[in-house]
Amino acid sequence: MSSERLVALLDEYAELEKRLADPAIHADQGTARRVGRRYAELVPLHKAAGELEQARADLVAARELAAEDPSFAAEAESIAATLPELEERLAELLIPRDPHDAKDVIVEIKAGEGGEESALFAADLLRMYTRYAERRGWLTEVLDAQDSDLGGVKDVSLAIKTKGVPEGGNGVWSRLKWEGGVHRVQRVPVTESQGRIHTSAAGVLVLPEAEEVDVTIDPNELRIDVFRSSGPGGQSVNTTDSAVRITHVPTGIVVSCQNEKSQLQNREQAMRILRARLLAAAQEQADAAASDARKAQVRTVDRSERIRTYNFPQNRITDHRIGYTAYNLDLALAGELDGVLDALTEADRAARLAGDPELGRR
């Protein structure tokens, strides 16, 4: 393990502890939250390093006692046997982690091939993530949604956040970052009169929610248009121009929001989504320069580029990146996602320990 990295991180832990003890930091809740998140990330490392240091000190003492009294030899052996596990745990904590793990997220779900059936499936995915968030005690907020005629969703943006500082620095992103990609469904659509199984797909994009300090946006680089909100079928649902479309000219990223009745509220929601997309774009460029690490989050809703299949006739959920299959689709859609997410997390852990940070995302 890298002793220099360990010393640097323990020094950072001590500095953050000092900052959090200063009442002045809590005058700025944004800063206090960021510092608190980073401190929470380092708590497990500090604890593991302390336990290893204590075990080594106990071993030295036990061996000294055993040299004078052989009855202490068994105790020394027992302590020595615990060291490899403690060293392995600390070594794992020293592996650089995803810098966004403590962040909240914005989940974007878009209907793809399959028409109305795809929109209904997108609504199923929205309920699945909302129910999973409820099980975790997280907060959810629909930032924008375009409904379909039969009660599905064509496009929806959902913010998911933790309450307070996430324990161990494991925020929403640490669990849901695996969900980006094409999700395929196989079932008999409600619109199918012959009872035939159809295949359709919906695209999911998971973005770490950016804070204002994460992304600098020049107001002069924004083009802001307002228009009237529309509902299913395109009919107008508002008599005022409250919907907002923001275009970030340098990147061409376009975000629109129409859920709120207030133009100001829609603008604020759109800016949240824009910041998240710009942060993701900047991260993607950095990753591409090194290894194209975000290639798992596909951008086309093509049924062939799937990461997961939801097969209703067999009650089966299959994640194609890691070969995970379970026959509890009904429970997964009800928000019991920990089975597949735990498997993806473990695959990522094994990949990082093996020195391949991409393996767990394939």
Side-chain angles (χ1 to χ4, degrees):
M1 69 183 68
S2 169
S3 58
E4 294 84 1
R5 176 171 169 75
L6 175 59
V7 169
L9 291 174
L10 291 178
D11 286 347
E12 182 184 359
Y13 172 90
E15 178 59 30
L16 292 173
E17 192 171 43
K18 249 192 254 182
R19 291 186 67 187
L20 288 172
D22 183 355
I25 193 175
H26 299 287
D28 183 343
Q29 287 301 309
T31 299
R33 183 171 170 82
R34 286 193 300 275
V35 173
R37 279 177 171 175
R38 179 56 178 162
Y39 177 78
E41 288 179 11
L42 294 177
V43 165
L45 176 75
H46 178 264
K47 181 180 178 182
E51 289 177 353
L52 179 58
E53 183 181 7
Q54 184 61 54
R56 285 172 173 169
D58 290 345
L59 179 59
V60 170
R63 282 175 172 170
E64 288 177 351
L65 290 170
E68 300 175 2
D69 184 348
S71 65
F72 285 97
E75 182 179 349
E77 289 179 8
S78 177
I79 296 172
T82 67
L83 293 184
E85 181 181 346
L86 292 172
E87 289 169 348
E88 182 180 352
R89 189 197 316 165
L90 183 58
E92 184 178 335
L93 290 169
L94 281 170
I95 297 173
R97 65 183 295 171
D98 187 325
H100 298 314
D101 270 354
K103 286 187 176 294
D104 300 325
V105 306
I106 293 176
V107 179
E108 298 184 1
I109 307 171
K110 299 179 185 295
E113 293 183 13
E116 191 64 46
E117 164 62 11
S118 178
L120 290 170
F121 177 51
D124 289 338
L125 294 177
L126 173 61
R127 282 190 292 273
M128 180 179 76
Y129 293 128
T130 301
R131 289 169 178 170
Y132 180 68
E134 290 171 353
R135 289 175 179 274
R136 304 282 298 197
W138 296 337
L139 304 173
T140 61
E141 176 187 6
V142 174
L143 301 181
D144 192 52
Q146 295 181 37
D147 298 330
S148 71
D149 293 327
L150 296 183
V153 290
K154 298 176 182 178
D155 192 344
V156 61
S157 297
L158 176 72
I160 306 178
K161 61 177 64 178
T162 57
K163 296 178 181 177
V165 175
E167 184 178 350
N170 296 312
V172 184
W173 173 261
S174 71
R175 293 299 285 173
L176 294 186
K177 59 185 172 183
W178 322 112
E179 294 303 288
V182 171
H183 296 240
R184 183 178 70 167
V185 63
Q186 296 171 326
R187 65 182 174 189
V188 178
V190 294
T191 55
E192 169 60 55
S193 60
Q194 303 298 318
R196 294 172 298 186
I197 296 173
H198 284 224
T199 297
S200 61
V204 175
L205 183 62
V206 184
L207 306 168
E209 179 154 14
E211 299 178 52
E212 292 190 21
V213 295
D214 296 326
V215 177
T216 300
I217 300 177
D218 184 346
N220 295 319
E221 296 178 340
L222 299 178
R223 185 171 70 247
I224 301 176
D225 303 303
V226 295
F227 55 98
R228 292 188 180 181
S229 302
S230 61
Q235 71 268 29
S236 176
V237 295
N238 202 327
T239 57
T240 61
D241 292 337
S242 61
V244 174
R245 181 186 301 110
I246 300 179
T247 303
H248 186 249
V249 177
T251 61
I253 294 175
V254 180
V255 178
S256 61
C257 277
Q258 60 177 19
N259 261 34
E260 305 296 337
K261 293 182 179 179
S262 157
Q263 186 183 120
L264 178 60
Q265 288 176 310
N266 282 323
R267 177 170 174 161
E268 289 174 350
Q269 304 289 51
M271 287 298 293
R272 286 177 65 183
I273 298 173
L274 177 61
R275 277 195 293 270
R277 289 191 186 177
L278 288 173
L279 178 63
Q283 184 66 51
E284 186 173 332
Q285 289 177 355
D287 289 343
S291 62
D292 194 24
R294 281 177 59 87
K295 62 187 177 186
Q297 297 227 28
V298 298
R299 277 137 190 87
T300 58
V301 187
D302 181 335
R303 286 181 298 206
S304 65
E305 295 182 316
R306 66 201 185 282
I307 64 164
R308 190 176 298 154
T309 294
Y310 303 74
N311 184 294
F312 276 70
Q314 298 178 17
N315 196 35
R316 170 173 57 84
I317 180 171
T318 299
D319 195 287
H320 304 286
R321 294 163 294 183
I322 57 173
Y324 173 93
T325 294
Y327 293 88
N328 61 350
L329 175 57
D330 53 339
L331 296 178
L333 289 173
E336 295 187 21
L337 283 173
D338 280 329
V340 63
L341 295 180
D342 286 345
L344 286 160
T345 301
E346 180 55 32
D348 176 68
R349 172 183 172 276
R352 288 188 297 111
L353 288 173
D356 181 0
E358 295 184 35
L359 186 61
R361 296 191 180 192
R362 291 177 187 156

